Amino acid sequence: EAGVTQFPSHSVIEKGQTVTLRCDPISGHDNLYWYRRVMGKEIKFLLHFVKESKQDESGMPNNRFLAERTGGTYSTLKVQPAELEDSGVYFCASSRGGVAGSYEQYFGPGTRLTVT
Amino acid sequence: GNSVTQMEGPVTLSEEAFLTINCTYTATGYPSLFWYVQYPGEGLQLLLKATKADDKGSNKGFEATYRKETTSFHLEKGSVQVSDSAVYFCALKFTGNQFYFGTGTSLTVIP
């Protein structure tokens, strides 16, 4: 069984540009989460999808960030326009359906975003 | 609020040395506690967990005990190996909600 995959592994963009990160969860996992680790700081929750619906987006930092999960499969996280403070590693995780907290979250390798 | 504080790194140890990575938490309620590990180039992997006070999680020689009285979940291993070099994250979670992670502790084990 394939794990959670993320693309790209690394992205370098200039301030003001747009970047789209992609996450493919484990097949059949209804829950999908996005997290971010800014350099040297803790990994912070961004949002949680259950299938195609946003269950909790309380961690999204501002309206420059837009997450989608059309069809309830893969998810994209778009940053537009990117700012310097958006640099960090963006992790995606997925877990099976049911009571979300009952199941282990499997994490992807992360996308390292560098905004210059 | 909910938060996790773990010891700052980086930590460098010789092979077969004893490892302790301190982790304390603040939580509104009784969360489950976790240690995740990230090996170079890989995603976060669950190392061990404990779901209630006095539970001990263990895996691959690592152990951590859920201490409610000291709000701690320190990670220990009696004899580290070079292959244990990684970044270790302490985290708490309530059922149905997201993780709250610490800042991560980088461990390097030298032969």
Side-chain angles (χ1 to χ4, degrees), chain B residues 66-99:
Chain B
Y66 190 139
R67 301 284 188 202
K68 193 174 83 171
E69 63 277 13
T70 54
T71 62
S72 65
F73 193 55
H74 304 320
L75 182 69
E76 296 182 336
K77 185 174 185 182
S79 176
V80 293
Q81 305 301 312
V82 172
S83 57
D84 294 327
S85 297
V87 181
Y88 293 81
F89 293 91
C90 184
L92 67 83
K93 184 176 182 297
F94 294 93
T95 300
N97 290 334
Q98 80 273 37
F99 281 99

mmCIF file of all heavy atoms in Angstrom, chain B residues 66-99:
data_model
loop_
_atom_site.group_PDB
_atom_site.id
_atom_site.type_symbol
_atom_site.label_atom_id
_atom_site.label_comp_id
_atom_site.label_asym_id
_atom_site.label_seq_id
_atom_site.Cartn_x
_atom_site.Cartn_y
_atom_site.Cartn_z
ATOM 1 N N TYR B 66 3.404 8.438 30.483
ATOM 2 C CA TYR B 66 2.453 9.546 30.616
ATOM 3 C C TYR B 66 2.353 9.904 32.094
ATOM 4 O O TYR B 66 1.778 9.157 32.889
ATOM 5 C CB TYR B 66 1.106 9.066 30.080
ATOM 6 C CG TYR B 66 0.017 10.087 29.887
ATOM 7 C CD1 TYR B 66 -0.781 10.013 28.756
ATOM 8 C CD2 TYR B 66 -0.275 11.078 30.820
ATOM 9 C CE1 TYR B 66 -1.828 10.892 28.548
ATOM 10 C CE2 TYR B 66 -1.305 11.962 30.625
ATOM 11 C CZ TYR B 66 -2.085 11.873 29.492
ATOM 12 O OH TYR B 66 -3.121 12.747 29.289
ATOM 13 N N ARG B 67 2.918 11.049 32.462
ATOM 14 C CA ARG B 67 2.916 11.486 33.863
ATOM 15 C C ARG B 67 1.986 12.684 34.012
ATOM 16 O O ARG B 67 2.332 13.807 33.643
ATOM 17 C CB ARG B 67 4.328 11.892 34.299
ATOM 18 C CG ARG B 67 5.362 10.796 34.181
ATOM 19 C CD ARG B 67 5.223 9.793 35.269
ATOM 20 N NE ARG B 67 6.337 8.832 35.266
ATOM 21 C CZ ARG B 67 6.272 7.633 35.814
ATOM 22 N NH1 ARG B 67 5.140 7.220 36.392
ATOM 23 N NH2 ARG B 67 7.324 6.832 35.781
ATOM 24 N N LYS B 68 0.796 12.428 34.560
ATOM 25 C CA LYS B 68 -0.182 13.507 34.696
ATOM 26 C C LYS B 68 0.250 14.507 35.757
ATOM 27 O O LYS B 68 0.054 15.716 35.626
ATOM 28 C CB LYS B 68 -1.556 12.925 35.038
ATOM 29 C CG LYS B 68 -2.688 13.933 34.891
ATOM 30 C CD LYS B 68 -4.044 13.270 35.109
ATOM 31 C CE LYS B 68 -4.386 13.162 36.574
ATOM 32 N NZ LYS B 68 -5.779 12.723 36.793
ATOM 33 N N GLU B 69 0.880 14.005 36.826
ATOM 34 C CA GLU B 69 1.224 14.895 37.937
ATOM 35 C C GLU B 69 2.289 15.914 37.554
ATOM 36 O O GLU B 69 2.314 17.020 38.084
ATOM 37 C CB GLU B 69 1.673 14.078 39.154
ATOM 38 C CG GLU B 69 2.922 13.249 38.960
ATOM 39 C CD GLU B 69 2.671 11.908 38.301
ATOM 40 O OE1 GLU B 69 1.565 11.682 37.762
ATOM 41 O OE2 GLU B 69 3.602 11.082 38.296
ATOM 42 N N THR B 70 3.152 15.537 36.610
ATOM 43 C CA THR B 70 4.193 16.470 36.160
ATOM 44 C C THR B 70 3.933 16.947 34.731
ATOM 45 O O THR B 70 4.759 17.661 34.163
ATOM 46 C CB THR B 70 5.585 15.811 36.212
ATOM 47 O OG1 THR B 70 5.544 14.582 35.474
ATOM 48 C CG2 THR B 70 6.002 15.535 37.650
ATOM 49 N N THR B 71 2.791 16.583 34.167
ATOM 50 C CA THR B 71 2.431 16.875 32.768
ATOM 51 C C THR B 71 3.620 16.662 31.840
ATOM 52 O O THR B 71 4.034 17.564 31.082
ATOM 53 C CB THR B 71 1.857 18.298 32.610
ATOM 54 O OG1 THR B 71 2.834 19.275 32.996
ATOM 55 C CG2 THR B 71 0.589 18.466 33.407
ATOM 56 N N SER B 72 4.171 15.450 31.902
ATOM 57 C CA SER B 72 5.361 15.165 31.112
ATOM 58 C C SER B 72 5.232 13.856 30.363
ATOM 59 O O SER B 72 4.416 12.992 30.704
ATOM 60 C CB SER B 72 6.597 15.130 32.018
ATOM 61 O OG SER B 72 6.512 14.057 32.922
ATOM 62 N N PHE B 73 6.069 13.726 29.333
ATOM 63 C CA PHE B 73 6.081 12.509 28.512
ATOM 64 C C PHE B 73 7.485 12.401 27.923
ATOM 65 O O PHE B 73 7.691 12.457 26.721
ATOM 66 C CB PHE B 73 5.007 12.613 27.426
ATOM 67 C CG PHE B 73 4.707 11.317 26.708
ATOM 68 C CD1 PHE B 73 4.337 10.174 27.405
ATOM 69 C CD2 PHE B 73 4.730 11.260 25.310
ATOM 70 C CE1 PHE B 73 4.026 8.993 26.748
ATOM 71 C CE2 PHE B 73 4.425 10.075 24.644
ATOM 72 C CZ PHE B 73 4.067 8.948 25.360
ATOM 73 N N HIS B 74 8.459 12.229 28.795
ATOM 74 C CA HIS B 74 9.858 12.227 28.366
ATOM 75 C C HIS B 74 10.205 10.958 27.595
ATOM 76 O O HIS B 74 9.833 9.858 28.009
ATOM 77 C CB HIS B 74 10.786 12.331 29.589
ATOM 78 C CG HIS B 74 10.506 13.530 30.442
ATOM 79 N ND1 HIS B 74 10.206 14.762 29.941
ATOM 80 C CD2 HIS B 74 10.486 13.652 31.793
ATOM 81 C CE1 HIS B 74 10.026 15.619 30.923
ATOM 82 N NE2 HIS B 74 10.187 14.978 32.067
ATOM 83 N N LEU B 75 10.959 11.122 26.532
ATOM 84 C CA LEU B 75 11.379 9.988 25.703
ATOM 85 C C LEU B 75 12.743 9.494 26.170
ATOM 86 O O LEU B 75 13.657 10.299 26.373
ATOM 87 C CB LEU B 75 11.460 10.415 24.236
ATOM 88 C CG LEU B 75 11.836 9.328 23.234
ATOM 89 C CD1 LEU B 75 10.714 8.297 23.111
ATOM 90 C CD2 LEU B 75 12.128 9.947 21.859
ATOM 91 N N GLU B 76 12.876 8.171 26.312
ATOM 92 C CA GLU B 76 14.148 7.596 26.761
ATOM 93 C C GLU B 76 14.510 6.375 25.919
ATOM 94 O O GLU B 76 13.633 5.661 25.435
ATOM 95 C CB GLU B 76 14.056 7.164 28.234
ATOM 96 C CG GLU B 76 13.835 8.304 29.197
ATOM 97 C CD GLU B 76 13.803 7.844 30.639
ATOM 98 O OE1 GLU B 76 13.500 6.654 30.881
ATOM 99 O OE2 GLU B 76 14.080 8.665 31.532
ATOM 100 N N LYS B 77 15.822 6.186 25.786
ATOM 101 C CA LYS B 77 16.329 4.948 25.196
ATOM 102 C C LYS B 77 17.656 4.638 25.865
ATOM 103 O O LYS B 77 18.507 5.522 26.021
ATOM 104 C CB LYS B 77 16.511 5.078 23.684
ATOM 105 C CG LYS B 77 16.916 3.737 23.036
ATOM 106 C CD LYS B 77 16.964 3.802 21.518
ATOM 107 C CE LYS B 77 17.240 2.404 20.949
ATOM 108 N NZ LYS B 77 17.341 2.380 19.475
ATOM 109 N N GLY B 78 17.827 3.395 26.223
ATOM 110 C CA GLY B 78 18.999 3.016 27.000
ATOM 111 C C GLY B 78 20.304 3.020 26.227
ATOM 112 O O GLY B 78 21.366 3.305 26.794
ATOM 113 N N SER B 79 20.240 2.736 24.935
ATOM 114 C CA SER B 79 21.467 2.613 24.158
ATOM 115 C C SER B 79 21.153 3.003 22.714
ATOM 116 O O SER B 79 20.565 2.214 21.970
ATOM 117 C CB SER B 79 21.983 1.176 24.234
ATOM 118 O OG SER B 79 23.120 1.006 23.403
ATOM 119 N N VAL B 80 21.543 4.213 22.340
ATOM 120 C CA VAL B 80 21.180 4.692 21.010
ATOM 121 C C VAL B 80 22.132 4.145 19.943
ATOM 122 O O VAL B 80 23.285 3.800 20.233
ATOM 123 C CB VAL B 80 21.166 6.231 20.940
ATOM 124 C CG1 VAL B 80 20.039 6.778 21.801
ATOM 125 C CG2 VAL B 80 22.503 6.833 21.353
ATOM 126 N N GLN B 81 21.617 4.072 18.734
ATOM 127 C CA GLN B 81 22.387 3.613 17.591
ATOM 128 C C GLN B 81 22.470 4.730 16.552
ATOM 129 O O GLN B 81 21.652 5.667 16.572
ATOM 130 C CB GLN B 81 21.723 2.383 16.969
ATOM 131 C CG GLN B 81 21.492 1.246 17.951
ATOM 132 C CD GLN B 81 22.785 0.761 18.573
ATOM 133 O OE1 GLN B 81 23.773 0.518 17.868
ATOM 134 N NE2 GLN B 81 22.816 0.632 19.894
ATOM 135 N N VAL B 82 23.405 4.597 15.644
ATOM 136 C CA VAL B 82 23.551 5.597 14.587
ATOM 137 C C VAL B 82 22.239 5.751 13.815
ATOM 138 O O VAL B 82 21.849 6.861 13.428
ATOM 139 C CB VAL B 82 24.712 5.226 13.637
ATOM 140 C CG1 VAL B 82 24.743 6.152 12.438
ATOM 141 C CG2 VAL B 82 26.046 5.272 14.384
ATOM 142 N N SER B 83 21.542 4.645 13.638
ATOM 143 C CA SER B 83 20.281 4.659 12.879
ATOM 144 C C SER B 83 19.152 5.414 13.589
ATOM 145 O O SER B 83 18.094 5.638 12.995
ATOM 146 C CB SER B 83 19.823 3.230 12.587
ATOM 147 O OG SER B 83 19.689 2.521 13.802
ATOM 148 N N ASP B 84 19.367 5.791 14.839
ATOM 149 C CA ASP B 84 18.363 6.581 15.570
ATOM 150 C C ASP B 84 18.478 8.069 15.273
ATOM 151 O O ASP B 84 17.652 8.865 15.745
ATOM 152 C CB ASP B 84 18.513 6.370 17.081
ATOM 153 C CG ASP B 84 18.187 4.952 17.514
ATOM 154 O OD1 ASP B 84 17.296 4.329 16.884
ATOM 155 O OD2 ASP B 84 18.827 4.463 18.460
ATOM 156 N N SER B 85 19.463 8.460 14.518
ATOM 157 C CA SER B 85 19.640 9.873 14.162
ATOM 158 C C SER B 85 18.411 10.340 13.379
ATOM 159 O O SER B 85 18.066 9.775 12.338
ATOM 160 C CB SER B 85 20.898 10.059 13.319
ATOM 161 O OG SER B 85 22.052 9.695 14.045
ATOM 162 N N ALA B 86 17.746 11.361 13.890
ATOM 163 C CA ALA B 86 16.474 11.812 13.313
ATOM 164 C C ALA B 86 16.012 13.032 14.099
ATOM 165 O O ALA B 86 16.671 13.463 15.046
ATOM 166 C CB ALA B 86 15.425 10.705 13.393
ATOM 167 N N VAL B 87 14.849 13.551 13.704
ATOM 168 C CA VAL B 87 14.207 14.609 14.482
ATOM 169 C C VAL B 87 13.019 13.994 15.192
ATOM 170 O O VAL B 87 12.208 13.301 14.573
ATOM 171 C CB VAL B 87 13.753 15.783 13.592
ATOM 172 C CG1 VAL B 87 13.112 16.874 14.449
ATOM 173 C CG2 VAL B 87 14.927 16.351 12.807
ATOM 174 N N TYR B 88 12.892 14.262 16.482
ATOM 175 C CA TYR B 88 11.853 13.673 17.309
ATOM 176 C C TYR B 88 10.871 14.766 17.737
ATOM 177 O O TYR B 88 11.278 15.821 18.226
ATOM 178 C CB TYR B 88 12.475 12.985 18.539
ATOM 179 C CG TYR B 88 13.290 11.782 18.150
ATOM 180 C CD1 TYR B 88 14.592 11.918 17.681
ATOM 181 C CD2 TYR B 88 12.748 10.492 18.227
ATOM 182 C CE1 TYR B 88 15.337 10.807 17.288
ATOM 183 C CE2 TYR B 88 13.481 9.385 17.847
ATOM 184 C CZ TYR B 88 14.770 9.547 17.377
ATOM 185 O OH TYR B 88 15.498 8.449 16.984
ATOM 186 N N PHE B 89 9.589 14.475 17.563
ATOM 187 C CA PHE B 89 8.534 15.432 17.900
ATOM 188 C C PHE B 89 7.614 14.833 18.957
ATOM 189 O O PHE B 89 7.086 13.731 18.777
ATOM 190 C CB PHE B 89 7.688 15.768 16.674
ATOM 191 C CG PHE B 89 8.411 16.522 15.599
ATOM 192 C CD1 PHE B 89 9.060 15.845 14.579
ATOM 193 C CD2 PHE B 89 8.429 17.904 15.594
ATOM 194 C CE1 PHE B 89 9.727 16.528 13.571
ATOM 195 C CE2 PHE B 89 9.087 18.604 14.599
ATOM 196 C CZ PHE B 89 9.743 17.914 13.585
ATOM 197 N N CYS B 90 7.396 15.592 20.007
ATOM 198 C CA CYS B 90 6.406 15.235 21.017
ATOM 199 C C CYS B 90 5.086 15.895 20.627
ATOM 200 O O CYS B 90 5.085 17.012 20.075
ATOM 201 C CB CYS B 90 6.883 15.733 22.381
ATOM 202 S SG CYS B 90 5.838 15.278 23.760
ATOM 203 N N ALA B 91 3.968 15.235 20.882
ATOM 204 C CA ALA B 91 2.680 15.793 20.466
ATOM 205 C C ALA B 91 1.571 15.331 21.390
ATOM 206 O O ALA B 91 1.674 14.279 22.032
ATOM 207 C CB ALA B 91 2.366 15.387 19.023
ATOM 208 N N LEU B 92 0.519 16.127 21.444
ATOM 209 C CA LEU B 92 -0.689 15.720 22.159
ATOM 210 C C LEU B 92 -1.878 15.840 21.219
ATOM 211 O O LEU B 92 -1.853 16.581 20.232
ATOM 212 C CB LEU B 92 -0.891 16.546 23.424
ATOM 213 C CG LEU B 92 -1.212 18.038 23.326
ATOM 214 C CD1 LEU B 92 -2.706 18.278 23.097
ATOM 215 C CD2 LEU B 92 -0.803 18.736 24.629
ATOM 216 N N LYS B 93 -2.913 15.098 21.551
ATOM 217 C CA LYS B 93 -4.088 15.076 20.676
ATOM 218 C C LYS B 93 -5.289 14.644 21.485
ATOM 219 O O LYS B 93 -5.195 13.746 22.308
ATOM 220 C CB LYS B 93 -3.841 14.095 19.527
ATOM 221 C CG LYS B 93 -4.930 14.022 18.476
ATOM 222 C CD LYS B 93 -4.485 13.080 17.374
ATOM 223 C CE LYS B 93 -5.495 12.969 16.252
ATOM 224 N NZ LYS B 93 -6.770 12.405 16.698
ATOM 225 N N PHE B 94 -6.401 15.312 21.187
ATOM 226 C CA PHE B 94 -7.673 14.877 21.727
ATOM 227 C C PHE B 94 -8.430 14.132 20.631
ATOM 228 O O PHE B 94 -8.275 14.433 19.451
ATOM 229 C CB PHE B 94 -8.498 16.087 22.192
ATOM 230 C CG PHE B 94 -7.893 16.806 23.358
ATOM 231 C CD1 PHE B 94 -7.053 17.889 23.153
ATOM 232 C CD2 PHE B 94 -8.150 16.395 24.651
ATOM 233 C CE1 PHE B 94 -6.480 18.552 24.233
ATOM 234 C CE2 PHE B 94 -7.591 17.053 25.733
ATOM 235 C CZ PHE B 94 -6.760 18.133 25.518
ATOM 236 N N THR B 95 -9.231 13.195 20.989
ATOM 237 C CA THR B 95 -9.979 12.409 20.015
ATOM 238 C C THR B 95 -10.759 13.310 19.089
ATOM 239 O O THR B 95 -11.465 14.204 19.533
ATOM 240 C CB THR B 95 -10.950 11.449 20.733
ATOM 241 O OG1 THR B 95 -10.205 10.587 21.570
ATOM 242 C CG2 THR B 95 -11.730 10.632 19.720
ATOM 243 N N GLY B 96 -10.608 13.070 17.807
ATOM 244 C CA GLY B 96 -11.346 13.819 16.804
ATOM 245 C C GLY B 96 -10.719 15.132 16.418
ATOM 246 O O GLY B 96 -11.201 15.803 15.514
ATOM 247 N N ASN B 97 -9.641 15.510 17.062
ATOM 248 C CA ASN B 97 -9.034 16.807 16.766
ATOM 249 C C ASN B 97 -7.621 16.675 16.221
ATOM 250 O O ASN B 97 -7.103 15.584 16.059
ATOM 251 C CB ASN B 97 -9.004 17.670 18.037
ATOM 252 C CG ASN B 97 -10.390 18.122 18.430
ATOM 253 O OD1 ASN B 97 -11.271 18.228 17.595
ATOM 254 N ND2 ASN B 97 -10.574 18.371 19.701
ATOM 255 N N GLN B 98 -7.039 17.841 15.978
ATOM 256 C CA GLN B 98 -5.718 17.829 15.371
ATOM 257 C C GLN B 98 -4.636 17.628 16.419
ATOM 258 O O GLN B 98 -4.877 17.715 17.616
ATOM 259 C CB GLN B 98 -5.463 19.139 14.614
ATOM 260 C CG GLN B 98 -5.049 20.319 15.502
ATOM 261 C CD GLN B 98 -6.208 21.087 16.050
ATOM 262 O OE1 GLN B 98 -7.204 20.514 16.386
ATOM 263 N NE2 GLN B 98 -6.072 22.392 16.124
ATOM 264 N N PHE B 99 -3.414 17.394 15.948
ATOM 265 C CA PHE B 99 -2.249 17.291 16.817
ATOM 266 C C PHE B 99 -1.759 18.676 17.211
ATOM 267 O O PHE B 99 -1.850 19.638 16.456
ATOM 268 C CB PHE B 99 -1.103 16.576 16.100
ATOM 269 C CG PHE B 99 -1.232 15.087 16.062
ATOM 270 C CD1 PHE B 99 -1.713 14.451 14.934
ATOM 271 C CD2 PHE B 99 -0.864 14.316 17.153
ATOM 272 C CE1 PHE B 99 -1.823 13.071 14.890
ATOM 273 C CE2 PHE B 99 -0.969 12.937 17.119
ATOM 274 C CZ PHE B 99 -1.456 12.311 15.989
#
